[in-house]
Amino acid sequence: MSLRPVVGIVGSAGAYGRWLRTFLEQRLGLEVIGHDPADPQSDDPETLLERADVLVFSAPIRHTPALIADYVRRSAGREAGRLWLDVTSVKSEPVAAMLASQAEVVGLHPMTAPPKAPTLKGRVMVVCEARLSHWQPWVSGLCAALEAECVRATPEHHDQVMALVQAMVHATHLAQAGVLREYAPLLGPLSELMPYRSASFELDTAIIARILSLNPVIYEDIQFGNPHVAPMLDRLLGQLQALRSQVEQGDDAARAAFREQLLQDNREHQGKALLEAGNYTFERVGYLLADLTERNAISVHLPEDRPGSLRELLHVFERHGVSLASIHSSRTPSGEVHFRMGFVAGSDLDALQRAAVEIDASGIGRVLPR
């Protein structure tokens, strides 16, 4: 095992392949080589097998097991003593394919699309340590550097859980998207429904937008590539059909069954502590959404990440007599960290404009266009 291994990425031109290359080169200072059919300038598979101490498979789920099997055949034992990883959303088949090699094997599943941030801080990553001994310290160091909340699991348990955590969530929101589309001729497009939004509706439509904005192949493979999804969909359909029957029946007995089956039973299953925590999370998100709809706000990018830079920014508003009602940090679509500051009702708009001009002119930060 090398403390500074050469890392080879199979699928280096894909979204996660590109993100991993940047992370490994810039955060860990490692040499990264890669192969991808979409990149004619990339290295060939033989170069990866010859030079890579760590081989990472970052390819579409449906192609990954066969791709790994091809690398096992090509490698012909040269992988002994090395480390093979994959970063797909389904784990059983890719991990089994890697175990046919003589390499040490770990399956990884970051529970997020490639982030705009430089690490996975604040996100979960599932780690399936299928065959790991000499590379254990390096894998632990990788997990620490990624800054993710790491959860250990077997590949089989991972796939069972993902049928709920991923496939069920995607399926329900894709179904909602279809219903919204079907109702559009009667009630108008989504933009005409948003003025009537609740926090729940706004959150659901945000998730729908997220799903529809990303690569459909990912969502296709999550549904079709996990054998535990079909039984989950049967259960989901059963719950909806039971509700449909109760609503159609419509009498007091149906209402009582609804309260007992879909409310009381589920409430007892969740438990008081989990319900309180989840309800508090929802309320916090609701407050955040309310803050973000505040029109009396300014977003500022701070180019220098140094102690005191935010305090210096806030002093500008203090000097101009402007009081803040909220402040949130986020990232622009290009990945820049910015702070969004909302101001109390009745704030002097001229004072706000003067503060914005000073921020831009002084170099403290850059005021972002609305």
Side-chain angles (χ1 to χ4, degrees):
M1 180 191 73
S2 171
L3 293 177
R4 299 186 65 79
V6 174
V7 179
I9 300 176
V10 181
S12 53
Y16 244 113
R18 296 193 305 273
W19 187 89
L20 284 169
R21 179 189 285 273
T22 300
F23 168 80
L24 292 165
E25 290 178 341
Q26 296 184 2
R27 303 289 287 201
L28 297 185
L30 300 178
E31 180 183 356
V32 180
I33 58 178
H35 170 73
D36 198 302
D39 179 10
Q41 303 303 315
S42 66
D43 300 292
D44 57 38
E46 180 58 30
T47 300
L48 269 64
L49 290 170
E50 187 64 30
R51 296 194 58 220
D53 304 296
V54 177
L55 195 61
V56 183
F57 294 92
S58 178
I61 298 169
R62 66 184 302 184
H63 301 307
T64 297
L67 185 64
I68 294 170
D70 181 56
Y71 271 75
V72 172
R73 180 185 59 79
R74 291 171 181 263
S75 188
R78 286 178 291 171
E79 72 282 0
R82 299 181 181 182
L83 174 65
W84 283 16
L85 310 169
D86 84 294
V87 289
T88 58
S89 299
V90 176
K91 291 269 76 80
S92 293
E93 288 193 22
V95 168
M98 288 191 293
L99 286 173
S101 74
Q102 297 181 43
E104 295 189 23
V105 171
V106 178
L108 302 176
H109 181 193
M111 297 298 297
T112 175
K116 297 179 177 68
T119 71
L120 298 178
K121 186 176 182 179
R123 308 301 180 99
V124 171
M125 183 171 71
V126 184
V127 181
C128 301
E129 298 178 352
R131 184 167 63 216
L132 186 63
S133 55
H134 296 297
W135 284 92
Q136 176 74 69
W138 191 86
V139 171
S140 297
L142 174 66
C143 291
L146 284 166
E147 299 182 325
E149 179 184 334
C150 291
V151 180
R152 264 71 182 179
T154 64
E156 177 69 13
H157 184 70
H158 166 276
D159 290 356
Q160 290 176 325
V161 170
M162 287 307 117
L164 303 180
V165 172
Q166 285 192 311
M168 182 175 70
V169 172
H170 299 164
T172 54
H173 283 91
L174 287 170
Q176 289 181 51
V179 172
L180 290 169
R181 184 188 70 247
E182 291 173 354
Y183 267 92
L186 176 65
L187 298 176
L190 179 59
S191 60
E192 295 181 15
L193 300 181
M194 291 306 290
Y196 302 88
R197 69 191 179 279
S198 64
S200 299
F201 186 76
E202 187 169 4
L203 288 171
D204 274 0
T205 54
I207 296 171
I208 290 169
R210 175 69 167 177
I211 293 172
L212 298 181
S213 297
L214 297 181
N215 186 351
V217 173
I218 297 173
Y219 296 98
E220 173 189 330
D221 285 349
I222 286 171
Q223 297 292 332
F224 287 79
N226 187 340
H228 303 287
V229 169
M232 175 279 296
L233 291 173
D234 287 339
R235 292 173 185 260
L236 182 61
L237 285 170
Q239 293 290 327
L240 289 172
Q241 288 167 349
L243 174 59
R244 175 67 182 87
S245 296
Q246 290 164 354
V247 171
E248 186 175 37
Q249 184 177 332
D251 57 15
D252 288 343
R255 288 171 176 264
F258 171 81
R259 289 193 299 270
E260 180 179 354
Q261 295 171 14
L262 296 185
L263 294 179
Q264 189 61 40
D265 289 351
N266 290 336
R267 183 179 297 163
E268 291 177 358
H269 170 73
Q270 294 285 329
K272 182 179 179 181
L274 196 60
L275 287 176
E276 288 179 351
N279 192 46
Y280 178 54
T281 297
F282 181 86
E283 288 182 351
R284 286 190 295 169
V285 173
Y287 292 137
L288 173 61
L289 291 174
D291 285 345
L292 295 180
T293 60
E294 173 58 59
R295 299 291 300 170
N296 196 20
I298 289 178
S299 292
V300 179
H301 168 60
L302 298 182
E304 295 186 25
D305 183 12
R306 56 178 174 80
S309 58
L310 178 58
R311 182 173 63 249
E312 190 176 354
L313 172 65
L314 296 179
H315 281 169
V316 174
F317 296 106
E318 183 179 354
R319 285 196 296 273
H320 288 274
V322 178
S323 298
L324 272 65
S326 64
I327 180 168
H328 300 283
S329 65
S330 185
R331 290 184 181 270
T332 64
S334 63
E336 290 183 341
V337 176
H338 74 275
F339 293 89
R340 186 183 191 278
M341 286 147 289
F343 306 99
V344 298
S347 294
D348 185 336
L349 297 183
D350 290 335
L352 276 175
Q353 180 60 33
R354 290 194 296 272
V357 170
E358 180 180 337
I359 291 167
D360 274 333
S362 66
I364 296 172
R366 187 178 77 253
V367 177
L368 303 178
R370 292 188 178 183

